[in-house]
Amino acid sequence: MLSIGVCDDNMIECTVLSQKIKRLLSLKGIAAAVSDFYSGQALLIWEQKIDILFLDIKMASLNGLETAKLLREQGQDFLLIFIT
């Protein structure tokens, strides 16, 4: 099963993108779990593997670029798609 993360500090934007991803994957018959994160900090403490990450660049306190750098330093390997 594919694991997808969506990280955006705007809860509405995060939810809308997650729903679109779920709908598209369902239409294509692809099994996936989509998890929402509302901050870079929440993403950094997530202990499950993520295969694809949609990450907002402009976020309060810890922006997407800083979050991506810290995730890579943790050794996490995933497809990263920046959104804004």
Side-chain angles (χ1 to χ4, degrees):
M1 178 181 284
L2 194 59
S3 175
I4 299 173
V6 178
C7 183
D8 192 324
D9 61 343
N10 182 315
M11 194 177 293
I12 294 170
E13 294 291 328
C14 190
T15 303
V16 167
L17 181 56
S18 289
Q19 289 173 348
K20 287 180 180 182
I21 292 168
K22 289 175 188 175
R23 195 172 317 122
L24 178 62
L25 293 172
S26 177
L27 288 172
K28 297 292 182 181
I30 300 171
V34 180
S35 302
D36 294 346
F37 303 91
Y38 305 118
S39 70
Q41 293 88 346
L43 188 56
L44 288 169
I45 61 172
W46 184 255
E47 295 183 1
Q48 297 179 20
K49 183 180 180 334
I50 294 176
D51 298 305
I52 302 171
L53 176 61
F54 292 84
L55 181 59
D56 187 21
I57 293 173
K58 294 180 86 175
M59 294 190 294
S61 89
L62 185 62
N63 71 42
L65 296 174
E66 295 166 336
T67 301
K69 181 179 183 236
L70 293 169
L71 289 168
R72 293 295 191 208
E73 288 175 357
Q74 289 179 352
Q76 296 194 37
D77 184 31
F78 46 81
L79 176 65
L80 177 59
I81 301 167
F82 284 111
I83 57 176
T84 188

